[in-house]
Amino acid sequence: MPKQPTAEQWERHRPLITKLYTTKTLKHIKDELYNRHGFYATERMYKGRFKTWGIGKNKKRKPFEASLPGDIVPGLNLAAAPPRDISSSTSPIQPPTYFSPALTPGASPHDGHRVFDTRSTTYVDTPRSGTLPPTPATYGYSSPFEVNLKEVGMTPDMLCKEIVTLATLILSKLVPGRSPTVAWDDCTPTDDHLAIYRTLQKELKHESHLRGCLVNNPSVAVKSQMNDHVNELLKSFHPAVPIGILSSFNQSSDTVAIHELARCLVKSSMIILPRDHEFFQLARRVLQLLTDTLFSDFKAHMERICDDLQANVLKVLGRWSLVMIYLTFLLNAKKAKIEQQKDPKILNMALERYTHVQCSYSDDPKLIVQFGHFILGYCVLVASEAELATSVRDMAEQCYDRAEAYLLERESSPNSRYADIQDAKSHFGKACAVLADCRYAQAAQQADKMLRDEIHDSSRRLLLMSIGCHVDTDMATMAQFERQKKKLEGWCRDAEDLERQKQLDCIRDLILGNEQRPKDGPLLPRLKVLAGN
């Protein structure tokens, strides 16, 4: 946690804080001082300091008499005034003229709303003179900002089919060249969509962040910047977004987070996207499905939706597509992660595409490392302990060797950009983590204690290297660090490995002391990879 500011620091920033306090909110002051000057204090600290300095926002109050209408004299006994008939022709008060005789029944009586006019087929009698204006509902006018989010007469099964259809229609826009009149069954794409795949993770970064929070840490997802990420992913809308969003609904089991995301998607898409956009319609139907069914039924419907979408993704993108593999893994994530169900068809297609990448793009080590790790991640999720220690471990060893060679090549090349090195380091860290798990499973099957201890030691070394790489990249998250730290602490405790436990504690202390970490920056930019330990 950041340290509490000293009195000297408060005084140094006092002129700026005092100036901002006259026009800005406390939250704005806190954020600006932290982002621009690295000065961190809670709102409670600010309030206490303002009290110490004796400053505050005093609002001037108008005298009571000054706030009265001009025709009311202070001290006048209004109750003694006789009532007057406002409909009388002799009355000094003219009847209100809210309505025009030529106004079309059902139209808005307000000029500013004509552009949003929604006519009602129900005729409304012209009001009598002197009566109060009717409400929009009684006059047959609905506000342009009110949207009926529910489709009347839609059963849950109908909603599911529409969600699948809308998601498929949106995804089809990802692949140019297919005529809208050609059925998916009559179209067999043969492109591997490499150009789309290269930018896919970058394009879906906001959706990926939402999915990570919703699945791994839902309490943070609800309280953090969910609305900001939803707005960003809608502003730069990608046709694959619905697949990731529906996968998130399928994987998460947190009721509050799911309801919050569903409402947020409808609200933001209503503002950012056109009303006839397919995703706005999809978001409405997801929210209706959520509100019309029990949560357990909603989860069952979501699983069915993801199953149906897997077949459609294959039809739209084709079995040769790398993007198809990526999206299919997303839709299959719940079965792989939670239920550990292996789909042989999906795995065979993925391995087939991996072979294609290695043969056709042998001069692109980054692509081979990235796609190989992606396939390996799925294999680890669905593998048994025996498979993890044998066939999956062999694949993990290959991925580790490629990732290490790619990192060394990036670090030694004078033309490498900082982002390239960070990306290579991230992939190497992931390869270390997977290989550590595989070797730990391998050690459990060894009868010889000395050999088992040796393999366990290499597993701890690899996991520590993985942590070192992770916290030193821009993609680092505290949630991922905590998960890896907890695992390594357990391994060190079992082996009484005090040395690596001490190194892990050192990393943790350095992270907590990194108060000036920029947004989306490394957790620990000063850390060197612990490859030699």
Side-chain angles (χ1 to χ4, degrees):
M1 292 295 293
K3 297 180 181 178
Q4 185 172 347
T6 62
E8 182 182 353
Q9 290 174 321
W10 277 109
E11 289 301 321
R12 185 165 65 249
H13 295 289
R14 179 173 179 173
L16 176 60
I17 295 173
T18 305
K19 179 181 178 181
L20 291 174
Y21 192 58
T22 59
T23 57
K24 304 295 183 182
T25 64
L26 186 55
K27 184 179 184 304
H28 180 93
I29 297 172
K30 180 170 74 74
D31 293 342
E32 181 164 339
L33 265 291
Y34 179 68
N35 294 331
R36 294 192 177 184
H37 304 280
F39 179 81
Y40 176 80
T42 64
E43 292 188 9
R44 186 173 182 178
M45 293 179 188
Y46 274 104
K47 291 177 181 178
R49 187 59 54 171
F50 292 151
K51 188 175 182 180
T52 302
W53 290 342
I55 63 175
K57 292 183 178 179
N58 297 321
K59 296 182 179 179
K60 294 183 179 180
R61 301 180 62 184
K62 295 181 179 179
F64 173 72
E65 292 82 0
S67 64
L68 294 174
D71 57 345
I72 298 181
V73 180
L76 178 65
N77 186 0
L78 298 179
R84 289 178 289 185
D85 183 7
I86 64 173
S87 62
S88 171
S89 58
T90 60
S91 173
I93 302 178
Q94 296 300 318
T97 55
Y98 292 109
F99 313 104
S100 168
L103 189 64
T104 305
S108 170
H110 307 291
D111 292 338
H113 289 168
R114 286 175 183 170
V115 67
F116 301 113
D117 193 10
T118 55
R119 303 294 175 89
S120 170
T121 56
T122 305
Y123 181 78
V124 181
D125 291 331
T126 304
R128 292 179 291 104
S129 298
T131 60
L132 293 175
T135 63
T138 59
Y139 201 75
Y141 167 73
S142 61
S143 168
F145 305 106
E146 294 178 0
V147 177
N148 181 17
L149 297 179
K150 286 200 171 187
E151 295 288 343
V152 180
M154 294 284 285
T155 65
D157 287 341
M158 295 169 65
L159 289 170
C160 289
K161 290 179 180 178
E162 286 217 9
I163 291 170
V164 172
T165 301
L166 289 167
T168 308
L169 285 172
I170 296 171
L171 180 65
S172 65
K173 298 178 182 179
L174 187 64
V175 185
R178 186 185 69 84
S179 173
T181 59
V182 178
W184 292 311
D185 291 332
D186 299 332
C187 181
T188 55
T190 58
D191 192 355
D192 62 8
H193 300 134
L194 176 61
I196 301 174
Y197 177 80
R198 287 187 188 278
T199 62
L200 194 60
Q201 290 184 330
K202 182 179 179 181
E203 295 284 352
L204 299 180
K205 65 178 181 179
H206 294 289
E207 179 276 324
S208 179
H209 178 86
L210 279 174
R211 179 162 28 92
C213 290
L214 206 68
V215 175
N216 299 321
N217 203 350
S219 60
V220 174
V222 176
K223 297 177 183 177
S224 65
Q225 306 147 343
M226 176 182 288
N227 190 66
D228 294 340
H229 283 285
V230 169
N231 288 341
E232 291 300 324
L233 74 86
L234 292 178
K235 288 176 183 177
S236 55
F237 188 80
H238 191 275
V241 161
I243 303 297
I245 292 295
L246 293 171
S247 174
S248 300
F249 280 122
N250 188 33
Q251 293 182 62
S252 177
S253 58
D254 189 277
T255 309
V256 176
I258 285 180
H259 276 82
E260 181 66 21
L261 178 59
R263 286 191 292 265
C264 194
L265 287 171
V266 173
K267 179 182 176 182
S268 296
S269 58
M270 187 188 307
I271 298 172
I272 297 173
L273 300 177
R275 290 292 175 86
D276 59 347
H277 196 284
E278 291 92 344
F279 186 78
F280 174 56
Q281 307 302 327
L282 184 147
R284 288 174 55 193
R285 282 152 178 76
V286 170
L287 181 59
Q288 182 173 348
L289 183 64
L290 181 60
T291 55
D292 287 356
T293 60
L294 297 174
F295 187 70
S296 57
D297 294 334
F298 172 79
K299 294 296 296 178
H301 287 307
M302 273 296 145
E303 188 166 345
R304 196 185 89 191
I305 287 171
C306 289
D307 289 342
D308 292 344
L309 275 174
Q310 283 187 41
N312 287 0
V313 167
L314 180 59
K315 291 178 182 178
V316 173
L317 300 178
R319 66 177 293 112
W320 304 102
S321 174
L322 305 182
V323 180
M324 180 274 296
I325 298 296
Y326 183 91
L327 298 181
T328 301
F329 277 179
L330 281 185
L331 294 170
N332 196 252
K334 180 185 177 183
K335 292 181 178 179
K337 290 181 180 179
I338 301 174
E339 303 168 9
Q340 287 191 310
Q341 293 183 16
K342 178 167 60 177
D343 190 323
K345 180 181 177 181
I346 295 176
L347 184 57
N348 289 336
M349 286 192 300
L351 293 174
E352 184 182 70
R353 291 296 82 210
Y354 185 40
T355 302
H356 163 74
V357 167
Q358 294 179 80
C359 296
S360 302
Y361 305 104
S362 57
D363 58 342
D364 192 342
K366 177 181 177 179
L367 175 64
I368 296 175
V369 168
Q370 184 187 56
F371 195 72
H373 180 76
F374 183 59
I375 304 300
L376 179 61
Y378 178 79
C379 294
V380 170
L381 289 176
V382 299
S384 63
E385 286 294 322
E387 292 173 329
L388 201 62
T390 53
S391 58
V392 177
R393 179 179 58 82
D394 292 340
M395 186 177 180
E397 296 278 4
Q398 295 175 7
C399 287
Y400 172 85
D401 292 340
R402 287 195 177 96
E404 184 182 36
Y406 177 57
L407 175 60
L408 293 175
E409 186 267 330
R410 289 290 88 190
E411 289 182 331
S412 60
S413 174
N415 299 323
S416 293
R417 300 176 302 168
Y418 171 77
D420 295 333
I421 297 175
Q422 290 284 293
D423 182 70
K425 187 179 294 184
S426 174
H427 286 301
F428 179 66
K430 293 175 183 177
C432 289
V434 174
L435 184 56
D437 287 334
C438 292
R439 287 188 179 177
Y440 208 82
Q442 177 193 10
Q445 298 184 354
Q446 299 297 324
D448 186 274
K449 184 179 184 304
M450 184 177 295
L451 181 58
R452 184 168 63 249
D453 291 344
E454 182 180 343
I455 298 176
H456 275 158
D457 184 75
S458 69
S459 299
R460 294 192 298 275
R461 179 179 62 85
L462 286 167
L463 188 54
L464 185 63
M465 290 167 57
S466 173
I467 293 173
C469 289
H470 176 72
V471 299
D472 197 22
T473 61
D474 293 341
M475 292 75 78
T477 63
M478 279 300 296
Q480 176 68 11
F481 167 71
E482 290 293 344
R483 285 195 295 271
Q484 289 188 328
K485 180 174 77 72
K486 184 178 180 180
K487 181 189 293 185
L488 184 55
E489 284 175 341
W491 289 0
C492 291
R493 187 167 51 251
D494 293 341
E496 298 182 354
D497 190 344
L498 300 180
E499 182 62 28
R500 289 200 175 90
Q501 179 64 56
K502 187 183 299 183
Q503 292 174 333
L504 184 61
D505 293 339
C506 180
I507 294 174
R508 180 202 58 202
D509 293 341
L510 289 173
I511 290 175
L512 296 178
N514 184 22
E515 301 176 13
Q516 306 302 323
R517 180 196 179 196
K519 184 179 180 181
D520 297 329
L523 289 175
L524 196 59
R526 300 181 297 276
L527 186 69
K528 301 297 183 182
V529 177
L530 305 175
N533 296 323

